């Protein structure tokens, strides 16, 4: 059953120089228990789409439904973590924050207290329950933010950059937490720049570019047929001219810093290696295609369509 | 209807708890705030007294002092609470989650206003006790004064919501809030009489409440049914106008994407 249905949603913002289409005619569906990773570069429209799903921003066109409800009336069933860990009262303790947000979501005090205690216990914050939030580490604050969005046991969870600014260990903890939440049947929409982490949990992937949805598919389908790649490591990054020549000559080649990846094409690998000067070559390995590779290639392949600028008279 | 009232009462309780936790956690800060409020009031009171050659708008007795202080706390707090809260919450990043709650932001800020008013009662009692001990006298504040005070609080809250509407859209409204407080303080310490003035003041926020309080204190006149209706109508009308503007600004902020700004 569809938990969240986004149909033809668009949003345009006015700026001093004209109007910018932040999201253009996006349609998506997500079912209970699925994790949809919303990927895109900065300014792709991920946060705008998330805010529209949360009801913080009104779409100019299209509609967003939670099951059969329109978004405006769905706050009871939706949990939302906005970018960073800024949805906490820093002078209150984790328990007090959870109780407060539980109350805002319509829970009785005792109910909120019990759920808060259980969440803190389950996700390793029980010992910090009475410490003011400002004394907790960044990772703990972020975990608490996610818990605040879970206090009312939502059916749909919207997470905007939940691992922003976290170290690897804290990010991994958040990923574990999200996986556990989704296993319980919650539909999760998550936006992040950490594509490698998204690969660990995403069942579905949607890639936005300049407000347009350019890919929407199950993660396994996206990775299918691209099981392996060649990975060429070089000692020094290629200069911009070398990079441009290489990509122009071999469209299947992607360059990220000192890493050059070539899709499973044994025919072009020797040619690529020949272009990389001998002394610069460190290693050639065969590895699995990652979601990051797919994302990078998809974004690179999609035709560049500049923002439609509309000048006001 | 009963459910709505119960939910609102629960929300007020939630806000009172939050306020109590913060007050008791930062005791010194809270005590200093109350002290500063009292000092400001006395400074203004004696300044006005000397400027007005010994007369004071609400009378110079202890009852007048206490009611004057109550009006000062309710009016200056009422006009500033919502805007101040929005400015602070936007700065710390907790504003948007309030919009994700089941009751909606309008109801949350209304509950916060009611909670702030209720939280002010112990402060008033404390000040009254201190005043009684200092002057070794007993207060006789009549219950009829409660209606003008309520009307004053509702009208002040209406202005507060209008300023809150502005805060939702532009976030920084310190100067308009201070200006509104100055106007309210000016109304508290001044007393204008003249033909047709009362008819004009009846349409303004807070003014009918202050007029009724003056009549109660200075001439001992009781509230007529007409005055009671005027007080309720004035308070409710200004609250409705302010709250309506607040809801409109929320809709506009949602349309323009202004909620995330600070």
């Amino acid at each position: 059953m569809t938990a969240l249905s986004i149909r033809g949603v668009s949003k345009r913002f006015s700026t001093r120089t004209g109007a910018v289409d932040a999201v253009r005619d996006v349609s998506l569906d997500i079912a209970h228990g699925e994790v949809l990773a919303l990927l895109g570069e900065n300014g792709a429209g991920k946060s705008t789409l998330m805010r529209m799903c949360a009801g913080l921003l009104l779409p100019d066109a299209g509609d967003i439904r939670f099951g059969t409800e329109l978004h405006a009336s769905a706050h009871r069933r939706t949990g939302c973590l906005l970018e960073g860990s800024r949805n906490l009262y820093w002078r209150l303790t984790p328990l007090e924050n959870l109780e407060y947000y539980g109350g805002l979501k319509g829970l009785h005090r005792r109910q909120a207290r019990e759920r808060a205690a259980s969440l803190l216990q389950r996700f390793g914050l029980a010992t910090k329950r009475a410490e003011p939030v400002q004394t907790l580490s960044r990772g703990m604050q972020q975990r608490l933010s996610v818990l605040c969005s879970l206090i009312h046991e939502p059916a749909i969870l919207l997470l905007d950059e939940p691992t922003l600014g976290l170290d690897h260990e804290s990010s991994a903890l958040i990923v574990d937490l999200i996986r556990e939440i989704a296993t319980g049947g919650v539909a999760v929409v998550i936006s992040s720049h950490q594509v490698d982490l998204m690969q660990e949990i995403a069942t579905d992937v949607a890639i936005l570019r300049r407000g347009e949805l350019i890919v929407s598919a199950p993660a396994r389908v996206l990775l299918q047929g691209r099981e392996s790649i060649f990975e060429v490591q070089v000692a020094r990054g290629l200069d911009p001219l070398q990079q441009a020549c290489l990509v122009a000559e071999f469209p299947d080649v992607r360059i990220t810093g000192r890493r050059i990846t070539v899709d499973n094409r044994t025919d072009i690998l020797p040619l690529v290696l020949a272009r990389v000067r001998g002394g610069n070559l460190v290693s050639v390995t065969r590895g699995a295609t990652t979601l990051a590779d797919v994302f990078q290639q998809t974004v690179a392949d999609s035709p560049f369509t500049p923002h439609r600028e509309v000048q006001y008279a | 209807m009963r459910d709505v009232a119960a939910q609102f009462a629960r929300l007020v309780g939630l806000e009172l708890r939050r306020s109590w936790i913060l007050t008791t956690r930062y005791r010194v800060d809270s005590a200093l705030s109350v002290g500063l409020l009292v000092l400001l009031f006395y400074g203004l009171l004696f300044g006005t007294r000397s400027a007005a050659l010994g007369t004071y708008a609400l009378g110079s007795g202890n009852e007048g002092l206490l009611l004057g202080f109550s009006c000062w706390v309710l009016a200056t707090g009422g006009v500033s609470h919502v805007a101040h809260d929005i400015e602070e919450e936007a700065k710390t990043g907790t504003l948007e989650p309030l919009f994700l709650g089941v009751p909606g932001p309008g109801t949350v800020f209304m509950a916060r206003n009611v909670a702030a008013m209720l939280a002010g009662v112990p402060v008033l009692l404390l000040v009254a006790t201190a005043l009684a001990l200092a002057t070794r006298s007993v207060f006789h504040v009549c219950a009829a004064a409660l209606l003008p005070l309520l009307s004053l609080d509702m009208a002040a809250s209406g202005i507060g919501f209008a300023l809150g509407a502005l805060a939702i859209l532009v976030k920084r409204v310190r100067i308009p809030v201070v200006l509104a407080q100055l106007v309210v303080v000016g109304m508290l310490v001044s007393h204008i009489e003249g033909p047709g003035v009362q008819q004009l003041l009846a349409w303004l926020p807070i003014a009918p409440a202050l007029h009724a309080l003056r009549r109660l204190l200075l001439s001992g006149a009781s509230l007529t049914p007409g005055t009671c209706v005027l007080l309720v109508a004035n308070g409710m009308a200004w609250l409705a106008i302010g709250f309506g503007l607040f809801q409109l600004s929320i809709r506009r902020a949602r349309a323009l994407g202004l909620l995330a700004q600070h």
Side-chain angles (χ1 to χ4, degrees):
Chain A
M1 186 194 158
T2 305
L4 172 65
S5 171
I6 301 169
R7 284 285 162 273
V9 164
S10 297
K11 185 70 196 177
R12 173 179 289 187
F13 290 118
S14 297
T15 66
R16 284 181 186 173
T17 53
V20 174
D21 289 309
V23 172
R24 277 187 266 186
D25 195 23
V26 170
S27 295
L28 282 169
D29 285 305
I30 174 167
H32 290 288
E34 286 183 355
V35 179
L36 172 72
L38 209 53
L39 306 179
E41 296 166 315
N42 288 332
K46 303 184 299 293
S47 291
T48 302
L49 188 59
M50 283 291 216
R51 281 171 195 279
M52 284 194 282
C53 289
L56 293 170
L57 197 56
L58 298 175
D60 293 333
D63 66 33
I64 299 167
R65 284 179 185 275
F66 293 86
T68 54
E69 285 179 274
L70 276 173
H71 63 80
S73 56
H75 288 322
R76 202 180 289 272
R77 303 175 57 218
T78 315
C80 185
L81 169 69
L82 301 162
E83 200 177 314
S85 68
R86 294 166 56 204
N87 60 343
L88 298 172
Y89 287 97
W90 284 41
R91 293 190 294 168
L92 298 182
T93 66
L95 187 64
E96 289 159 354
N97 264 287
L98 285 164
E99 277 182 24
Y100 182 73
Y101 282 114
L104 280 188
K105 287 290 186 181
L107 300 184
H108 289 275
R109 192 184 175 195
R110 184 186 291 176
Q111 214 177 1
R113 205 176 177 81
E114 282 169 7
R115 283 192 195 168
S118 145
L119 282 170
L120 290 171
Q121 185 69 43
R122 193 166 141 205
F123 296 106
L125 288 173
T127 54
K128 301 285 179 186
R129 58 190 285 159
E131 307 273 335
V133 166
Q134 59 195 343
T135 64
L136 303 186
S137 72
R138 178 90 172 80
M140 285 177 179
Q141 287 170 3
Q142 193 70 347
R143 243 185 299 163
L144 179 61
S145 292
V146 179
L147 298 189
C148 282
S149 62
L150 288 173
I151 185 73
H152 58 302
E153 298 181 345
I156 300 141
L157 187 60
L158 306 167
L159 302 171
D160 192 7
E161 299 282 2
T163 52
L164 188 74
L166 296 186
D167 59 27
H168 185 74
E169 196 183 341
S170 301
S171 297
L173 278 169
I174 298 276
V175 165
D176 287 344
L177 196 157
I178 295 165
R179 192 182 286 119
E180 198 176 326
I181 292 161
T183 310
V186 176
V188 183
V189 182
I190 177 168
S191 86
S192 177
H193 287 289
Q194 289 173 283
V195 186
D196 52 335
L197 287 177
M198 293 306 95
Q199 186 173 348
E200 291 182 33
I201 45 171
T203 57
D204 290 77
V205 176
I207 301 177
L208 289 169
R209 184 165 196 239
R210 303 241 166 191
E212 285 183 342
L213 184 67
I214 53 173
V215 165
S216 171
R220 60 180 165 72
V221 173
L222 281 180
L223 294 169
Q224 229 166 34
R226 311 192 206 193
E227 283 83 3
S228 58
I229 53 163
F230 290 107
E231 204 173 291
V232 180
Q233 286 286 343
V234 289
R236 296 179 306 279
L238 303 182
D239 62 50
L241 184 63
Q242 272 184 307
Q243 284 189 27
C245 290
L246 204 59
V247 173
E249 199 176 351
F250 307 109
D252 291 331
V253 166
R254 291 177 301 285
I255 305 165
T256 322
R258 287 179 291 174
R259 178 175 176 252
I260 303 167
T261 54
V262 183
D263 273 353
N264 195 14
R265 296 270 306 272
T266 46
D267 52 335
I268 64 166
L269 181 65
L271 302 172
V272 171
L273 291 177
R275 302 294 185 280
V276 178
R277 294 201 178 88
N280 196 17
L281 183 67
V282 175
S283 65
V284 179
T285 51
R286 195 166 178 142
T289 305
T290 62
L291 189 57
D293 297 319
V294 174
F295 170 66
Q296 209 178 2
Q297 190 179 18
T298 308
V299 170
D301 289 351
S302 82
F304 177 77
T305 45
H307 279 281
R308 241 175 285 158
E309 299 281 338
V310 181
Q311 297 295 332
Y312 289 119
Chain B
M1 190 66 188
R2 190 180 287 177
D3 278 355
V4 174
Q7 275 172 12
F8 186 73
R10 203 159 55 222
L11 205 54
V12 172
L14 190 71
E15 293 299 343
L16 273 174
R17 255 197 317 279
R18 194 174 70 96
S19 167
W20 173 250
I21 289 167
L22 292 176
T23 305
T24 50
R25 186 156 298 156
Y26 300 93
R27 290 182 201 99
V28 177
D29 188 50
S30 307
L32 285 175
S33 300
V34 174
L36 187 69
L37 198 68
V38 175
L39 278 177
L40 270 173
F41 174 73
Y42 273 93
L44 187 81
L45 173 72
F46 291 118
T48 313
R49 264 184 178 173
S50 87
L53 301 174
T55 60
Y56 175 61
L58 283 178
S60 52
N62 283 338
E63 286 81 6
L65 269 182
L66 187 61
L67 279 177
F69 184 72
S70 308
C71 290
W72 153 271
V73 170
L74 289 175
T76 54
V79 298
S80 62
H81 275 144
V82 179
H84 179 258
D85 253 17
I86 288 170
E87 208 175 292
E88 280 301 305
E89 302 254 355
K91 214 186 294 171
T92 54
T94 45
L95 181 63
E96 284 181 297
L98 296 180
F99 284 69
L100 301 172
V102 173
T107 315
V108 170
F109 282 103
M110 186 66 88
R112 284 190 175 188
N113 246 19
V114 174
M117 187 185 74
L118 294 175
V121 172
V123 177
L124 288 178
L125 290 176
L126 201 72
V127 171
T129 311
L131 204 61
L133 289 172
T135 56
R136 291 180 186 168
S137 56
V138 182
F139 290 113
H140 297 285
V141 178
C142 60
L146 286 177
L147 184 63
L149 284 176
L150 188 67
S151 170
L152 179 142
D153 186 57
M154 285 200 292
S157 299
I159 302 171
F161 271 109
L163 289 167
L166 193 63
I168 290 271
L169 299 175
V170 299
K171 302 298 182 289
R172 302 290 165 108
V173 288
R174 222 160 269 181
I175 300 298
V177 168
V178 170
L179 285 176
Q181 283 181 323
L182 282 177
V183 171
V184 165
V185 169
M187 290 171 82
L188 277 171
V189 297
S190 62
H191 187 200
I192 310 164
E193 289 283 3
V197 169
Q198 289 318 314
Q199 281 78 1
L200 178 70
L201 291 182
W203 295 93
L204 295 178
I206 298 172
L210 288 175
H211 181 65
L213 280 173
R214 278 183 202 117
R215 282 174 60 83
L216 270 176
L217 286 168
L218 298 177
S219 59
S222 58
L223 297 176
T224 62
T227 307
C228 293
V229 170
L230 175 69
L231 289 173
V232 172
N234 182 280
M236 287 183 79
W238 281 104
L239 185 59
I241 290 168
F243 194 67
L245 288 172
F246 188 70
Q247 297 288 42
L248 279 177
S249 83
I250 287 170
R251 187 164 176 80
R252 188 158 173 76
R254 276 185 166 140
L256 299 177
L258 301 173
L259 289 177
Q261 294 175 359
H262 54 91

